[in-house]
Amino acid sequence: MTYQESIAQTGQLIASHNGTWDGISAEAVARMQLQNRFRTGLDIARYTAAIMRRDMAAYDADPAKYTQSLGCWHGFIGQQKMISIKKHFGSTERRYLYLSGWMVAALRSGFGPLPDQSMHEKTSVPALIEELYTFLRQADARELGMLFRDLDKARDAGNEVEAQRLLHAIENHQTHVVPIIADIDAGFGNAEATYLLAKKMIEAGACALQIENQVSDEKQCGHQDGKVTVPHEDFLAKVRACRYAFLELGVEDGIIVTRTDSLGAGLTKQIAISHAPGDLGDQYNSFLDCEEIALGDLKAGDVVIERDGKIVRPKRLKSNLFQFREGTGADRCVMDCIASLQNGADLLWIETEKPHIEQIASMVDRIREVVPNAKLVYNNSPSFNWTLNFRQQVFDAWSEAGRDVSAYDRAKLMSADYDGTELAVEADERIRTFQADAAKRAGIFHHLITLPTYHTAALSTDNLAKEYFGGAGMLGYVKNVQRQEIRQGIAAVKHQNMSGSDLGDDHKEYFAGEAALKAGGVHNTMNQFAA
């Protein structure tokens, strides 16, 4: 319904109660309904899943239409991000949120800061999804509330042209609610545990779940050592568990992002079961580092397999883990991705050790030989030293082209001494265009930064602490924070409004009329920011 239709319908409902509801304003109800467009997390999941599906189709037609997100560890951070996007770009199209398991572990666990090893309470993941959407819905309510107030002022002034403009803005209001790609880690247990958690995450509003092929109880951050993968059948059972959760809850176009850590994982906890030569289990086992043995060489507790008519013994570590052959990571990634797409995954995630477009593309090209529309979600990770990586890439490219690089020390290219050099300028340009270039060349549909707001919070707090507790005193806050908020039009400078004070005043007026005791009167110090 349109805003006007909602007013008319509610007016009829009020009238049907024979005067007993006459204290209720039909327009106030219509406003509250519009400010609460999404009644449940499932409403959000269905709405945002449709957005992602449309965006995926648009990317297939034109890789320039890739999507982006930033990881957010608190509802307020996600809210401010989307308010900023609407302010600067006028639209939230192709901009999402990412929920990072790393940041949940480091910042949202009842145990305190934890490493990214799935040790945090799994309930904290759906709780953060719900929190993010609570703040995004509040951003809608706040923005619409300001439009409603401006509409009332225009009507009171008899300015019909302005009133019509505002009604059009209300009718066409774009929500701050956008898709969240949510990290379910390695599933937090067996497939049943994955299914139960997936349901909670979807019920909270997640339309896209990202799951990785590591062992749940040995899970490591994708950029740390010691990663252990699982055979495909174990992983695909969890992928199916996620799909069952989506279908049970009526989110039929929910998105599953399957992540492979095989590029950096040299270990497996299990030897896969194989039913026939060349099946997934056999392919997985073909990468094991083995030694040929005779039957007489068997020792107590040995595990052996047959390979090409020979008995071979996989190399087993003291940790009881089995080792893959060196240099097989890329081949295993390709196999992982093809298997996932052929078993219900929608998007892929290949965790790499550096941001190198041709490295990513070399794997995607092979995947697309089997699944032509394969698409990636890619982690533009803060764990990469972007400056050093790209300066080294330029250095290597120049060297291969025969250019003189004698003025540069490849191992020390991070140094500020190189900041103004031609090499550094070219490297920065490659960083600037990385997302567009990788979307075109390497099949990356979605670019995200996993934990940028962790780092921005640390950096801004450090800068403020240095100034405020140093010689600048209060000027350290005023000059570098508040004055910048005012001049850059940061909505949160009016923090009472941002926290919902004006919304509360509107409700007080709806409920109590002229008797309402409102906070936003002439003595509210937030009025100092009106200019």
Side-chain angles (χ1 to χ4, degrees):
M1 285 188 295
T2 68
Y3 179 58
Q4 302 285 15
E5 289 169 345
S6 181
I7 294 171
Q9 185 182 82
T10 305
Q12 292 174 359
L13 177 64
I14 291 169
S16 71
H17 284 264
N18 301 317
T20 60
W21 283 18
D22 283 358
I24 302 295
S25 162
E27 185 159 16
V29 171
R31 291 179 176 186
M32 294 174 77
Q33 288 175 337
L34 192 57
Q35 288 171 308
N36 188 29
R37 173 181 173 184
F38 302 99
R39 309 296 170 83
T40 70
L42 287 177
D43 291 337
I44 292 172
R46 295 185 187 106
Y47 169 78
T48 53
I51 291 174
M52 278 196 72
R53 291 290 178 179
R54 288 195 299 271
D55 287 347
M56 289 160 67
Y59 173 81
D60 285 339
D62 180 4
K65 294 182 178 178
Y66 59 91
T67 57
Q68 298 169 291
S69 66
L70 295 174
C72 299
W73 52 272
H74 191 279
F76 177 73
I77 300 297
Q79 178 199 63
Q80 294 304 299
K81 184 189 112 172
M82 297 317 302
I83 287 174
S84 176
I85 286 170
K86 286 193 73 174
K87 180 184 78 170
H88 291 295
F89 305 105
S91 171
T92 61
E93 288 183 9
R94 302 202 306 275
R95 281 101 176 187
Y96 304 166
L97 293 181
Y98 178 66
L99 186 149
S100 161
W102 192 101
M103 284 207 285
V104 174
L107 299 171
R108 302 303 301 262
S109 171
F111 296 109
L114 292 172
D116 183 20
Q117 296 172 358
S118 291
M119 295 189 292
H120 55 282
E121 314 90 326
K122 62 183 181 180
T123 52
S124 59
V125 183
L128 180 52
I129 296 169
E130 183 178 7
E131 177 182 292
L132 283 161
Y133 280 127
T134 296
F135 274 80
L136 295 184
R137 290 160 68 194
Q138 194 262 7
D140 281 358
R142 170 188 168 273
E143 188 172 68
L144 283 164
M146 293 190 292
L147 288 172
F148 295 147
R149 287 181 170 217
D150 289 343
L151 175 61
D152 291 341
K153 290 177 183 176
R155 286 171 172 172
D156 290 344
N159 189 341
E160 184 60 26
V161 172
E162 177 65 3
Q164 287 301 313
R165 185 193 70 80
L166 288 162
L167 280 170
H168 182 267
I170 290 165
E171 297 284 13
N172 295 279
H173 177 261
Q174 186 183 48
T175 177
H176 294 81
V177 170
V178 296
I180 285 179
I181 297 176
D183 187 358
I184 198 171
D185 280 356
F188 285 88
N190 61 15
E192 176 70 6
T194 301
Y195 155 76
L196 293 170
L197 178 56
K199 280 182 62 177
K200 289 293 184 184
M201 293 169 70
I202 297 162
E203 287 170 340
C207 73
L209 303 179
Q210 170 227 322
I211 186 165
E212 61 202 60
N213 68 336
Q214 291 192 52
V215 177
S216 291
D217 58 349
E218 300 283 355
K219 185 258 191 287
Q220 291 277 23
C221 172
H223 294 278
Q224 291 185 319
D225 205 354
K227 291 185 290 184
V228 183
T229 62
V230 296
H232 291 90
E233 289 303 333
D234 293 34
F235 181 61
L236 295 176
K238 294 185 177 183
V239 173
R240 288 191 288 271
C242 292
R243 182 64 66 201
Y244 273 109
F246 274 124
L247 294 174
E248 178 184 339
L249 296 171
V251 185
E252 296 178 0
D253 52 358
I255 289 92
I256 298 174
V257 183
T258 52
R259 171 176 140 182
T260 173
D261 280 280
S262 290
L263 197 62
L267 303 170
T268 182
K269 197 166 188 178
Q270 299 163 263
I271 295 174
I273 293 176
S274 173
H275 301 286
D279 65 11
L280 274 176
D282 188 42
Q283 292 179 59
Y284 189 80
N285 293 339
S286 71
F287 294 108
L288 292 170
D289 192 359
C290 300
E291 58 182 345
E292 184 181 347
I293 64 168
L295 286 176
D297 297 329
L298 283 174
K299 301 175 184 176
D302 266 355
V303 174
V304 296
I305 60 176
E306 183 274 338
R307 180 184 288 172
D308 299 326
K310 301 173 182 177
I311 298 175
V312 296
R313 178 168 52 204
K315 291 184 180 177
R316 186 161 55 169
L317 307 181
K318 292 181 179 180
S319 58
N320 204 28
L321 299 172
F322 296 94
Q323 187 170 295
F324 289 114
R325 296 195 313 276
E326 285 285 338
T328 62
D331 291 338
R332 286 184 281 123
C333 279
V334 171
M335 183 176 66
D336 296 341
C337 291
I338 292 171
S340 291
L341 292 173
Q342 291 179 335
N343 288 273
D346 301 291
L347 294 168
L348 304 170
W349 174 320
I350 299 175
E351 193 79 326
T352 67
E353 82 287 0
K354 59 181 178 292
H356 194 290
I357 291 175
E358 286 305 316
Q359 178 198 34
I360 304 162
S362 67
M363 291 181 278
V364 173
D365 288 346
R366 294 169 61 189
I367 296 163
R368 284 184 162 180
E369 289 175 4
V370 182
V371 186
N373 69 338
K375 293 179 284 296
L376 267 65
V377 171
Y378 187 71
N379 177 9
N380 292 223
S381 177
S383 293
F384 303 143
N385 185 331
W386 285 77
T387 302
L388 181 60
N389 265 290
F390 276 83
R391 288 181 180 182
Q392 288 181 340
Q393 287 179 37
V394 173
F395 180 97
D396 294 341
W398 284 9
S399 296
E400 290 173 14
R403 290 187 58 171
D404 181 12
V405 292
S406 59
Y408 303 97
D409 182 340
R410 189 181 187 279
K412 298 179 179 179
L413 288 174
M414 183 64 201
S415 171
D417 294 340
Y418 294 121
D419 283 358
T421 64
E422 185 182 359
L423 184 146
V425 170
E426 182 173 329
D428 280 355
E429 179 61 13
R430 290 192 183 199
I431 294 171
R432 186 187 72 80
T433 64
F434 173 81
Q435 294 189 338
D437 294 341
K440 183 178 181 180
R441 172 69 185 94
I444 297 177
F445 158 74
H446 185 78
H447 283 278
L448 61 89
I449 309 179
T450 42
L451 40 141
T453 52
Y454 175 92
H455 292 282
T456 55
L459 178 62
S460 61
T461 302
D462 179 85
N463 290 336
L464 175 60
K466 178 179 66 175
E467 295 289 324
Y468 177 73
F469 293 105
M474 192 58 196
L475 183 61
Y477 172 78
V478 172
K479 181 180 179 181
N480 297 319
V481 181
Q482 188 181 78
R483 192 176 296 167
Q484 297 306 313
E485 286 181 302
I486 295 169
R487 291 178 175 172
Q488 295 181 39
I490 305 300
V493 70
K494 298 182 180 181
H495 48 259
Q496 306 287 16
N497 167 270
M498 186 59 64
S499 70
S501 180
D502 290 344
L503 286 171
D505 276 359
D506 292 340
H507 291 167
K508 290 174 185 177
E509 190 169 353
Y510 299 162
F511 305 155
E514 294 181 358
L517 183 63
K518 296 191 286 187
V522 294
H523 298 297
N524 187 318
T525 59
M526 285 287 99
N527 294 329
Q528 296 172 21
F529 297 97

